[in-house]
Amino acid sequence: WLSGILFAHGVDRTSILAIMSVLAAGGFYLLDGTISGLITSAATAIGGPLIEVGLISSLPDSWAYHYNDPGETGFFPLWIIPVYFLGGPANGNLARGFWDALSEKSDARTFGMQVEMDQVPCSVCNGTRAVKCPNCDDGTYVTYGERVVCKACRGKGLVICRECFSKYDDDPSDIENIRRIMDQIPD
């Protein structure tokens, strides 16, 4: 909007390009300032206008927007490039937000329960919700000379960690819920 106001008030194109470039550089420095952000801003500054050229060239006037003043390029004024460049930090931060949401940086899926990573994991199970069964070695044990499946862990060799029940608001008396959680733990 600033470039439009400047143009409407008769500021010459070179001055608008210089003003927008300084604002884009300052905005980038304040909002991002990273190497990856610089790459994203450069890609946005190149890709955005190229997409506009494609849209303006290929779509009828009634389907797509067109600049009232096609500027130096014949499609858009040159000051659009620094405007797109300053859009790079927004694109970069949006991409980082998606990346964090999809990766283990922001959350972990632990047996059907969402656990925020800024929470300290349980010191006993390290956030896995399972510990080695105290009644057997590997899901089985020997009794009267015969190897049998452990009833405590149902042959998994793991039981639910009692140390972190309150962290997940689980009821230690709800055996069905405990079994459901343990059934979700991979063997």
Side-chain angles (χ1 to χ4, degrees):
W1 58 266
L2 178 60
S3 59
I5 291 172
L6 293 172
F7 185 72
H9 285 90
V11 178
D12 67 285
R13 294 174 182 280
T14 306
S15 297
I16 296 174
L17 178 59
I19 291 168
M20 299 311 292
S21 295
V22 168
L23 289 174
F28 169 77
Y29 179 75
L30 289 173
L31 297 173
D32 195 318
T34 64
I35 298 294
S36 61
L38 180 64
I39 294 167
T40 302
S41 289
T44 305
I46 294 166
L50 288 176
I51 291 170
E52 285 194 15
V53 168
L55 290 173
I56 290 170
S57 299
S58 64
L59 296 175
D61 288 346
S62 62
W63 286 22
Y65 70 90
H66 289 73
Y67 288 96
N68 292 332
D69 174 27
E72 302 82 3
T73 65
F75 297 99
F76 56 83
L78 279 179
W79 65 71
I80 291 301
I81 294 171
V83 170
Y84 269 104
F85 182 87
L86 187 54
N91 286 325
N93 289 331
L94 180 64
R96 284 183 199 104
F98 279 121
W99 178 261
D100 288 347
L102 295 173
S103 72
E104 292 183 354
K105 289 181 180 177
S106 65
D107 71 292
R109 300 279 172 189
T110 307
F111 313 120
M113 304 292 187
Q114 185 170 346
V115 182
E116 294 297 321
M117 290 303 286
D118 60 352
Q119 294 177 351
V120 177
C122 174
S123 62
V124 175
C125 69
N126 199 26
T128 63
R129 302 209 58 193
V131 295
K132 188 169 173 28
C133 179
N135 297 337
C136 67
D137 295 321
D138 60 357
T140 62
Y141 61 94
V142 177
T143 181
Y144 298 106
E146 189 176 323
R147 184 159 295 277
V148 295
V149 174
C150 178
K151 301 275 188 219
C153 66
R154 295 169 46 191
K156 284 191 167 224
L158 299 171
V159 294
I160 196 159
C161 177
R162 301 283 177 178
E163 191 70 26
C164 59
F165 258 101
S166 61
K167 185 179 230 176
Y168 297 95
D169 295 324
D170 287 331
D171 179 4
S173 303
D174 187 352
I175 300 301
E176 289 305 313
N177 185 48
I178 292 170
R179 286 183 179 150
R180 183 187 59 77
I181 294 167
M182 291 307 295
D183 285 343
Q184 293 175 353
I185 295 176
D187 290 337

